[in-house]
Amino acid sequence: MELKRGFRDKLEKYVDLADVVEIDMTTTGAAVYDYSCFGLDSNEKLSDDRYMIFYNQTESPNRELSYSALDEHSARFLLRLNKLPQTINKLAFTVSIDGDGTMGKISTHEIKIKQRGQTVAVLSLNGSDFTQEKAIISLEIYRKQVWRLAAVASGFNGGLGDLLRNYGGEEESSKETEPIPTPPRSESRSPENSRASSPNGNVPSSPVVSRPTSSVEADMAQAVRSFQNYVSRNGLQGCIAKVALVVEMSSQMAPLYEDGTIQEIVNKIIPLALQFDDNGKLEFWYYAGWAKKMSPLTKNNYTQAVPQDWGSLMWSMGKDTHSEALVISSVMTEYINTDLPVYVIFITGGNIPIQYEASVEQMLRGASLRPIYWQFIGTNGCNYELLDRLNNLTDRPVNNTNFFTVGNFKQVSNEALYDLMLKEFSSWLREAKANGIVR
């Protein structure tokens, strides 16, 4: 059945309410789209944030609601309506844009209601149905004596933030007056708190309400002051540059997420961003089968760069492969109009799939004419032949890449790491300025 905006009816006409109901959501366009299901109370508020289900919290407490990514464009929610507590009276299914873009520029947005693999109702929309919205409430399922269905298809210009405020929640990033702890080193995560094998093994965490603890910002201030010594040593005083961090999130990297190494990498990199970046933010990507731009990291939130249930995110991103070409393209698109030099720190486990090698090399050759420097750092991996080869390419205006490996980020000294990172960046910056690539 084809649904139209504003359609309402009893859900039991289309599905067996005693059985699992599937909601499939797909959006195509130039942006990255995130899907969520808000479980709301009788006042249409998110009074229990365990019932906000999305890629970073994939199940409600008793698996009444669950989320899984179908591919980079689509997600599926499974509903066990007869098991929901009486406190949950409405389910709102939403899509929001992660980053730039508006819903007016999407190609398609489709919501399918399914049961036992069969589609029983479809709501199909496209960019002409919207304008400047950055988030859409696509569909609602609510109780009014019985479970009912409403094809809402209405949007919010402010994106996910507006959605959260509409439902009585708030984004963590809005609580600037309540700082997140900033310890100098991360603690290892125990196996019971970090599961990469399945999205069903995640440890739910709240994306809605900030839970601040004591702050140790003085440690970060000291780290930045210490970093300035390496800046001066490498002739980079006064350098202003955008800083980006790209981290592989395929299954070959799982041990480094589990033992806290990836968080330690962020801890060591954030002083560089605070020293160089024009806005004190570290732009941040995870990648595996596809790339996902995360919220920027700052001195207030960097200790949460690795989510507690990182295994669910790894699973949803296509953990069994990794496409360096896809994330390189995403980063290049992000900085296509920048007037500042860009320093990209790219953490990889190696073993770049052979089908991507040629495109990666071609992209980085072409990128040598852009003000972007690529610092590849290998860890816990092998088969780095392509990255070694990139170090020695001669047919490009400037050498815009560098590569080295770090055996253990928890043990490497700041002196060794920062000098490796800054010496080559300083050389590139001089060459790029001499060739008119950087102003």
Side-chain angles (χ1 to χ4, degrees), residues 14 55 110 119 208 214:
Y14 308 97
Y55 73 85
E110 186 176 73
T119 300
V208 180
S214 60

Side-chain angles (χ1 to χ4, degrees), residues 37 76 302 354 372:
C37 171
R76 171 174 293 165
Y302 76 94
I354 191 169
I372 305 177

Side-chain angles (χ1 to χ4, degrees), residues 49-61:
D49 58 27
R50 298 176 302 167
Y51 286 86
M52 178 181 173
I53 308 303
F54 68 128
Y55 73 85
N56 206 29
Q57 183 166 269
T58 59
E59 291 183 346
S60 58

Side-chain angles (χ1 to χ4, degrees), residues 194-431:
S194 43
R195 303 178 176 93
S197 59
S198 167
N200 294 336
N202 72 303
V203 181
S205 60
S206 170
V208 180
V209 181
S210 177
R211 295 179 173 84
T213 59
S214 60
S215 171
V216 286
E217 288 183 293
D219 290 323
M220 177 50 61
Q222 177 57 40
V224 173
R225 285 194 295 270
S226 176
F227 182 75
Q228 290 172 352
N229 296 329
Y230 305 106
V231 170
S232 298
R233 183 186 302 179
N234 288 277
L236 290 166
Q237 306 95 314
C239 175
I240 297 178
K242 292 186 176 294
V243 183
L245 177 63
V246 176
V247 184
E248 182 180 334
M249 207 181 206
S250 73
S251 56
Q252 72 173 355
M253 300 286 278
L256 302 186
Y257 285 89
E258 186 164 342
D259 70 7
T261 295
I262 298 300
Q263 184 61 58
E264 183 66 18
I265 290 171
V266 175
N267 295 354
K268 287 182 177 291
I269 297 257
I270 195 72
L272 190 153
L274 296 178
Q275 175 69 34
F276 286 158
D277 201 286
D278 61 327
N279 60 8
K281 293 181 179 180
L282 177 63
E283 301 297 330
F284 184 36
W285 281 260
Y286 279 128
Y287 80 98
W290 52 87
K292 180 172 180 62
K293 187 173 188 288
M294 311 300 290
S295 297
L297 300 177
T298 69
K299 65 180 180 180
N300 291 328
N301 70 359
Y302 76 94
T303 57
Q304 296 181 335
V306 178
Q308 186 178 18
D309 56 345
W310 54 266
S312 298
L313 180 57
M314 180 179 286
W315 183 278
S316 73
M317 292 183 65
K319 66 184 181 64
D320 293 327
T321 187
H322 44 101
S323 175
E324 284 72 11
L326 189 62
V327 74
I328 288 171
S329 176
S330 179
V331 172
M332 290 173 66
T333 300
E334 176 75 15
Y335 298 113
I336 193 168
N337 294 318
T338 184
D339 292 326
L340 291 173
V342 181
Y343 188 174
V344 180
I345 301 132
F346 199 115
I347 308 299
T348 171
N351 296 303
I352 295 176
I354 191 169
Q355 66 267 31
Y356 300 134
E357 286 192 2
S359 58
V360 168
E361 182 172 333
Q362 181 180 9
M363 292 170 74
L364 291 173
R365 282 178 188 271
S368 63
L369 291 170
R370 297 189 181 189
I372 305 177
Y373 176 77
W374 303 82
Q375 176 61 71
F376 292 92
I377 304 177
T379 183
N380 195 46
C382 58
N383 188 15
Y384 291 114
E385 285 84 354
L386 173 62
L387 299 179
D388 280 325
R389 190 164 71 248
L390 290 173
N391 269 4
N392 300 309
L393 292 179
T394 57
D395 53 342
R396 51 184 167 172
V398 296
N399 184 354
N400 61 332
T401 64
N402 186 47
F403 168 67
F404 61 85
T405 61
V406 174
N408 190 330
F409 262 94
K410 291 184 175 181
Q411 296 179 1
V412 65
S413 70
N414 287 346
E415 181 175 9
L417 178 65
Y418 292 149
D419 278 343
L420 278 170
M421 294 178 67
L422 296 180
K423 182 179 179 181
E424 295 298 329
F425 175 61
S426 180
S427 298
W428 169 82
L429 192 57
R430 287 193 300 272
E431 288 185 46

Side-chain angles (χ1 to χ4, degrees), residues 15-16 19-23 77-79 81 113-115:
V15 296
D16 179 357
D19 204 349
V20 175
V21 178
E22 303 171 24
I23 306 294
F77 295 92
L78 299 182
L79 321 179
L81 297 172
I113 302 173
K114 303 171 67 176
Q115 192 164 64

